[in-house]
Amino acid sequence: ADVGQRLKLVEVNVWQRDSQAATGQTIFEIDVTKDMCNIFGTLHGGCAAYMIDPCSVSSLVVLGNAIGIDGTGVSQSMNLIWHQPARIGASLKIISTSIFIHGRVRSARCEVRLSLFSSEAQLTDMTNHSTTQIWNGDQLCVTAIHSTVNPWTTSKDATRTRL
């Protein structure tokens, strides 16, 4: 639970383009600490899934609030793909974007990225014993698609949005 409490919500966006339905997006940040890592000193897969669960749902809740429906639900499926490890000390950005809300079904995509100036991407000057942060390309660590279902929504409450 301590890891979840350290997730810092830094940005919330809701937008609608032309005749398309609204989209919700949330961005969280967190630094990778020892309690989040496996024996190799990299972010544990279970910890990544633990963080993605509430972060991905947050974009659905934000969108639901904006369009006047209940965006909450219970997990139906969560598919995660690991692209590269995040080491202890790395600063992560977790970006969640709503994909679909229709009736009881909701889905969102989520990306876990190394932040632009992560401590993992540091250049050390051995002469001066100083460390300078360098740009690391905002690298992708984990992606996910999270589907939820809202069992409490009745047919009269069902609202459709297109994305």
Side-chain angles (χ1 to χ4, degrees), residues 9 13 35 37 47 51 55 65 67 74 76 92 96 102 117 119 128 131 135 161:
L9 179 63
N13 299 299
D35 62 328
C37 293
C47 188
M51 293 187 301
C55 290
N65 188 50
I67 63 176
V74 295
Q76 190 174 35
L92 301 179
S96 173
H102 177 81
F117 293 101
S119 59
N128 298 322
T131 302
W135 183 72
T161 63

Side-chain angles (χ1 to χ4, degrees), residues 9 11-15 23-27 59 62-63 66 96 98:
L9 179 63
E11 194 170 328
V12 175
N13 299 299
V14 177
W15 64 87
T23 300
Q25 182 184 65
T26 56
I27 301 175
S59 66
V62 165
L63 176 59
S96 173
S98 63

Side-chain angles (χ1 to χ4, degrees), residues 18-94:
D18 303 323
S19 63
Q20 293 183 355
T23 300
Q25 182 184 65
T26 56
I27 301 175
F28 289 82
E29 291 179 349
I30 192 167
D31 291 333
V32 178
T33 55
K34 186 177 180 181
D35 62 328
M36 300 164 67
C37 293
N38 57 28
I39 61 171
F40 303 106
T42 61
L43 180 65
H44 191 284
C47 188
Y50 174 77
M51 293 187 301
I52 287 170
D53 187 6
C55 290
S56 61
V57 170
S58 66
S59 66
L60 299 169
V61 172
V62 165
L63 176 59
N65 188 50
I67 63 176
I69 66 168
D70 181 0
T72 65
V74 295
S75 291
Q76 190 174 35
S77 69
M78 188 165 43
N79 184 26
L80 282 75
I81 299 171
W82 284 266
H83 303 282
Q84 68 175 319
R87 293 179 178 82
I88 292 175
S91 295
L92 301 179
K93 185 182 295 189
I94 304 170

